[in-house]
Amino acid sequence: MQLFSTALILARKDLRLFFRDRTGVLLGFLMPAALVTIFGYIMGLMGGDGGGSPMSRASIWVADAEQSVESQEFVSALRGSSFLRVRPRMDESGALSESAPSGEDLRQQVIDGEINHALLIEKGFADALTKGETPPLTMVRDPGRQLESQMTGLGVMQALSEVSQGRVFTMMIGQRMRDAGLPDLAIERMQQISDEQRGFIGQTAGDGSGFDMMSMFSGQGLMQTEDHAPPERPQNVSYMQAQAVGGIAVMMVLFGLTAVSSTLLTERKQGTMRRLLSLPVPPGAILLGKGLATGLIGLLQLVMLFVIGELLFNIGIWRDPLTLGALIVSTVAAATAFGLLIASWARTPKQAEGMSTLLILVMSCLGGSWFPLQMLDLPMPVEVAMRLTINHWSVSGFQGLFWNTQSLADAPIQLSVGVLWLFAAIASALALRLFRKRYLSQG
C-alpha cells in the first residue's frame, strides 16, 4: 500500500513539472498533430485515386509551332491525360498563366537540366493527322528520367488516340513497318484494315511469343526522340539516388547541429553562461563562437556523408569540388543559424527539442529530403511552403550538381547558394536578438 501511495506522489510531482512548462506541453501535443496532418496530406497527394494521382503524372512542356485547330485539340487532349502534367499551365478561364517558350527555348532548357521533357509539335501536324500518317512530333528529354519517359510516351499516345479517333494504332504499326523496310504499298494496305490489325495486336500479345505489349504503348514510333544528358553524369547513378544522398544528408545535419546549438541551454542551466557573460567580451562573440564550433561539426558531418555516398553510389563528388564546397558551406551556415535560433528562442531543453523536431521533420518532408516533392502536382500554397525551407534549396543545389552536373557558374546553383545565405543572415540576426533578450536580461 505504501509503495502505491508513494508512486502516486512521485507521479503527481512529475506531472506538475511536465505541465509547468506550458510551451513544452503545447509542442508535445502540437507536434504529432501537425506531423499527422502534413504527412497525411502529402501521402494523400502521392497516393491519389489511381490514374489521376499527381504522383503518376509526368511534367512535360509543350511547344506548338503549328497552332492549327488539330494541334490545339491535341494539346487539350494532352492536358486531359491521366499521365501528364502539361506546362505551360492554364488558369481557370483557359488562358495561359505562364509564358509559352518556343521549341528552341525548351530544347535549351532540357540541355541545361532545367526541365526534363519537352514535346515539340512541328508544322504539318494537321496534314499528317488527316492523311493517317505519323505526325511530326519531337520529344526532347533527359534519358535518365526513365519512369517519366514512360509516362510521357503513354500520355502522348493517349492524346493522339483521342484526336485521331483511334487511328493511332494504325499510325504506330505503319511507322514500325516502314522503319523495318516494308514498302509503302503494303503499309497503305495495312492501314485499310486497321480493325484487323488491332485484333492481331491483341492476339499476338497473349500468345507467349515474347512480344512486349507495353513497348507498343510507350509512344515509340509515334514521335522522334532527342536525348540530352550531361556527359559528366555518372552512368550508374539514378535520379532517386542522387536525390536521397543530398536529402538525407541535409536532414541529419539539421538534427545534429540543432542538438549541438542547444548546448546554450545546458550552459545556462549549469551556470557556465553566467560566468561567460561576466567577462569583458561582446555578447555576439559568445554566440559567434558557438556558431563556429557548431558549423565545423556540420562541415565534418556533411563531408563524411558525401564521401559515404560516393563510395556506395558513385554520385560524383570529385567532379566539381568548388561547387560542392560552396553548397556544403552554405548549407552548414543556414543549418547552424537555424540551430542557434531555436536555442536562443527556447527556455527549456524540452522546448528546443520539440520545436526543432517539428520544424526539421516538416522542412524535410516539404523540402525534398525524403522524396522529390517537385514531381508532384502541388497546390500553390504547398509549393510556396516548399520554397521556404532550407531543405528545398540545399537539396535542389546538390541535385543540380550531382544529376544535372551544374556548376557554381550556373544560375540554379547560384540561386540555391544565395537563398541559403539569406536564410543564414536572417536567422542569425534573429538569434542574436533573442540571445540578448533571453540571456543578457537574466545574465
Side-chain angles (χ1 to χ4, degrees):
M1 191 68 178
Q2 184 180 2
L3 175 65
F4 185 70
S5 60
T6 303
L8 285 177
I9 294 173
L10 294 176
R12 284 197 297 268
K13 181 264 297 180
D14 289 339
L15 288 173
R16 283 197 300 269
L17 291 175
F18 176 81
F19 286 105
R20 187 177 299 170
D21 184 359
R22 296 181 180 179
T23 304
V25 171
L26 178 62
L27 289 173
F29 289 96
L30 176 63
M31 182 172 66
L35 293 179
V36 167
T37 301
I38 294 173
F39 293 162
Y41 178 74
I42 296 297
M43 294 306 172
L45 284 178
M46 292 181 63
D49 54 358
S53 166
M55 195 62 177
S56 67
R57 292 188 296 212
S59 180
I60 181 173
W61 282 83
V62 178
D64 183 3
E66 184 174 78
Q67 293 294 322
S68 64
V69 174
E70 290 81 0
S71 64
Q72 292 176 6
E73 289 178 352
F74 174 59
V75 174
S76 297
L78 288 172
R79 294 186 183 279
S81 171
S82 58
F83 299 103
L84 301 178
R85 195 166 66 245
V86 177
R87 308 282 298 274
R89 294 189 180 100
M90 299 183 70
D91 57 26
E92 296 180 356
S93 66
L96 292 179
S97 58
E98 297 175 308
S99 60
S102 66
E104 285 304 314
D105 290 339
L106 291 180
R107 178 178 281 106
Q108 190 59 48
Q109 289 183 48
V110 174
I111 294 173
D112 294 340
E114 298 176 14
I115 61 177
N116 304 307
H117 290 83
L119 182 64
L120 312 184
I121 306 174
E122 312 289 353
K123 292 182 178 180
F125 178 87
D127 289 341
L129 204 64
T130 302
K131 297 175 182 178
E133 299 175 353
T134 304
L137 299 172
T138 301
M139 179 69 74
V140 187
R141 65 182 185 178
D142 180 344
R145 308 289 286 267
Q146 296 179 1
L147 176 60
E148 291 162 89
S149 292
Q150 293 177 5
M151 292 290 184
T152 54
L154 288 165
V156 169
M157 182 173 179
Q158 185 183 61
L160 273 178
S161 179
E162 180 178 335
V163 298
S164 67
Q165 290 150 7
R167 285 178 295 159
V168 64
F169 298 98
T170 305
M171 298 177 193
M172 183 171 52
I173 292 296
Q175 186 62 45
R176 291 291 180 89
M177 295 301 180
R178 185 176 291 107
D179 293 341
L182 194 69
D184 289 341
L185 185 60
I187 294 175
E188 291 176 5
R189 175 58 181 159
M190 291 182 64
Q191 290 176 335
Q192 294 174 3
I193 52 173
S194 60
D195 290 338
E196 286 81 353
Q197 287 180 346
R198 296 175 199 174
F200 172 74
I201 292 173
Q203 180 181 357
T204 305
D207 64 3
S209 62
F211 174 73
D212 185 4
M213 191 68 172
M214 284 308 297
S215 69
M216 294 296 294
F217 293 135
S218 66
Q220 297 176 7
L222 295 175
M223 56 188 170
Q224 300 294 322
T225 55
E226 186 180 314
D227 293 340
H228 295 280
E232 301 89 356
R233 178 191 295 166
Q235 297 300 310
N236 61 336
V237 66
S238 70
Y239 176 78
M240 296 300 290
Q241 282 177 327
Q243 174 88 16
V245 172
I248 298 302
V250 172
M251 182 180 71
M252 297 313 299
V253 164
L254 278 169
F255 272 116
L257 296 193
T258 301
V260 172
S261 300
S262 295
T263 55
L264 279 172
L265 294 166
T266 303
E267 291 181 351
R268 183 171 67 178
K269 182 178 181 180
Q270 294 177 347
T272 306
M273 184 59 63
R274 184 182 297 274
R275 292 193 293 271
L276 287 174
L277 294 174
S278 66
L279 298 175
V281 296
I286 299 175
L287 200 63
L288 178 60
K290 180 68 67 176
L292 290 174
T294 302
L296 179 59
I297 294 172
L299 282 173
L300 295 175
Q301 287 179 331
L302 269 184
V303 170
M304 179 197 71
L305 291 172
F306 283 125
V307 169
I308 292 175
E310 176 69 16
L311 293 175
L312 294 178
F313 308 116
N314 188 29
I315 58 177
I317 66 172
W318 311 119
R319 183 186 58 80
D320 189 347
L322 177 62
T323 302
L324 178 61
L327 287 169
I328 287 178
V329 171
S330 302
T331 298
V332 168
T336 300
F338 171 79
L340 292 175
L341 178 59
I342 294 297
S344 300
W345 166 83
R347 297 183 182 276
T348 66
K350 184 167 65 175
Q351 291 181 9
E353 179 182 353
M355 179 58 73
S356 62
T357 301
L358 172 63
L359 292 178
I360 292 172
L361 288 179
V362 170
M363 288 195 302
S364 298
C365 176
L366 291 177
S369 285
W370 296 351
F371 43 80
L373 202 64
Q374 59 270 26
M375 293 176 64
L376 298 179
D377 190 12
L378 298 174
M380 185 58 69
V382 180
E383 190 168 335
V384 171
M386 176 182 69
R387 296 179 183 277
L388 293 177
T389 65
I390 295 175
N391 303 66
H392 169 75
W393 295 105
S394 182
V395 173
S396 295
F398 288 124
Q399 188 74 336
L401 170 64
F402 297 140
W403 183 254
N404 295 323
T405 66
Q406 295 168 340
S407 70
L408 197 56
D410 294 313
I413 299 292
Q414 294 173 0
L415 180 61
S416 293
V417 169
V419 172
L420 287 171
W421 278 106
L422 177 62
F423 186 95
I426 294 174
S428 297
L430 292 174
L432 180 59
R433 182 176 180 179
L434 286 171
F435 178 77
R436 288 171 172 167
K437 179 180 180 181
R438 296 284 176 90
Y439 287 75
L440 298 187
S441 62
Q442 302 176 16

